[in-house]
Amino acid sequence: MKKHVFLLVALATFFTAFISCSNDDPKTSQVEVRLVDAPGDYDAVNIDVQDVMINANDGENGWKSLGNVTPQVYDLLELTGGIDALLVDTEIPAGKISQIRLVLGDNNSIVVDGQTHPLATPSAQQSGLKLNVHQNLVGGVKYTFILDFMVDKSIVVEGNGAYSLKPTIRVITEAASGAISGMVNPFDYQVEVSAVSGEEEAITTYTNEEGKFMLHGVPAGTYNVTFTPDEASGLAPKTVEGVNSVLGENTDMGTIELVE
């Protein structure tokens, strides 16, 4: 029997609403689950996604597949610059959800300097990362959950040179936050894009091959957005201050000109 790896990640909710007692209330919620990446310094990181499940009652017997998931291997490093992978789009009964589980198969690999290596998952990781959230989905509301797979924090190089996957995944509810997007010029080299507000942890992504970027799941507020080009480009870092993130909206910064 094929062994699956279970990654348990926190599921955050975004909606607080008045719930009517009428029998006409919607009984289902629309749910999307999307996968994005904050990449590391590799040629490719291939993840074998088999299923997405939810848990409504905290117990191990409470897990149910969301269905409509086509097993597929995703190169996480392609999921940047505003590109994401839609894992599932379905309706589920409204009500409490405790957790979400990303089910991986065995066909995980990493490409480093042109060489492909198996990406092992230690047995201790199979029990996953478990956080209870005890939130409710309101009937008639659409929820988009973004799984931000932070590759730079998820790959471990073992002492024997092998590679292991110890996932760090940030779960974002799109409608509870905003997004910041744009592009850089020139875009011959990759650029790190980082948004910081006060003492909060930076939200980071990279430009794609067309120079485009998108920071997902940016809480409402005012940010300083810093662009750090690859050193080989000879271009200087640049910071744009006072960029606003608005709930449910995408703030387009336009084209950011980088100079030497």
Side-chain angles (χ1 to χ4, degrees):
M1 181 180 295
K2 183 175 182 178
K3 182 171 68 177
H4 288 150
V5 176
F6 295 95
L7 307 181
L8 299 176
V9 296
L11 176 64
T13 188
F14 78 92
F15 198 85
T16 302
F18 175 80
I19 304 177
S20 168
C21 294
S22 167
N23 291 331
D24 294 330
D25 286 347
K27 302 301 181 184
T28 61
S29 301
Q30 188 77 17
V31 170
E32 285 186 347
V33 180
R34 294 179 177 270
L35 184 65
V36 299
D37 172 42
D41 189 19
Y42 307 104
D43 297 339
V45 177
N46 301 306
I47 301 299
D48 180 11
V49 177
Q50 292 289 313
D51 199 3
V52 179
M53 306 177 74
I54 58 170
N55 192 341
N57 64 15
D58 297 332
E60 282 302 312
N61 294 327
W63 290 105
K64 294 182 179 179
S65 172
L66 286 176
N68 301 322
V69 178
T70 302
Q72 183 173 334
V73 175
Y74 295 92
D75 179 2
L76 294 175
L77 302 193
E78 293 183 353
L79 305 179
T80 59
I83 299 174
D84 60 39
L86 177 62
L87 302 182
V88 62
D89 184 358
T90 190
E91 287 191 0
I92 65 173
K96 175 184 173 182
I97 291 182
S98 297
Q99 300 152 333
I100 188 170
R101 175 181 279 176
L102 184 66
V103 182
L104 300 186
D106 297 327
N107 192 21
N108 305 297
S109 63
I110 185 169
V111 182
V112 182
D113 296 329
Q115 299 295 317
T116 301
H117 306 269
L119 189 55
T121 300
S123 58
Q125 180 59 39
Q126 294 179 20
S127 61
L129 307 172
K130 184 176 181 180
L131 294 174
N132 298 317
V133 293
H134 305 299
Q135 300 292 343
N136 289 307
L137 301 184
V138 177
V141 173
K142 182 175 182 177
Y143 296 79
T144 299
F145 298 105
I146 300 172
L147 307 185
D148 186 2
F149 209 118
M150 306 175 73
V151 167
D152 58 339
K153 298 181 180 179
S154 300
I155 305 299
V156 176
V157 183
E158 305 294 349
N160 60 2
Y163 293 85
S164 296
L165 177 67
K166 296 184 178 180
T168 299
I169 300 174
R170 188 168 66 110
V171 183
I172 307 154
T173 305
E174 196 170 57
S177 58
I180 297 175
S181 67
M183 65 180 300
V184 301
N185 185 55
F187 51 84
D188 301 312
Y189 292 85
Q190 194 173 63
V191 177
E192 181 185 78
V193 185
S194 180
V196 176
S197 179
E199 297 181 357
E200 297 294 326
E201 182 178 355
I203 299 172
T204 303
T205 189
Y206 287 79
T207 55
N208 66 7
E209 61 185 8
E210 297 176 341
K212 296 179 180 179
F213 68 90
M214 177 173 284
L215 294 160
H216 293 270
V218 184
T222 302
Y223 291 80
N224 294 336
V225 181
T226 299
F227 300 84
T228 306
D230 187 293
E231 289 185 3
S233 69
L235 299 171
K238 181 174 183 176
T239 297
V240 179
E241 299 181 352
V243 179
N244 292 321
S245 175
V246 181
L247 289 181
E249 296 184 13
N250 173 27
T251 300
D252 187 351
M253 295 183 65
T255 300
I256 305 301
E257 299 290 342
L258 302 176
V259 297
E260 295 183 0

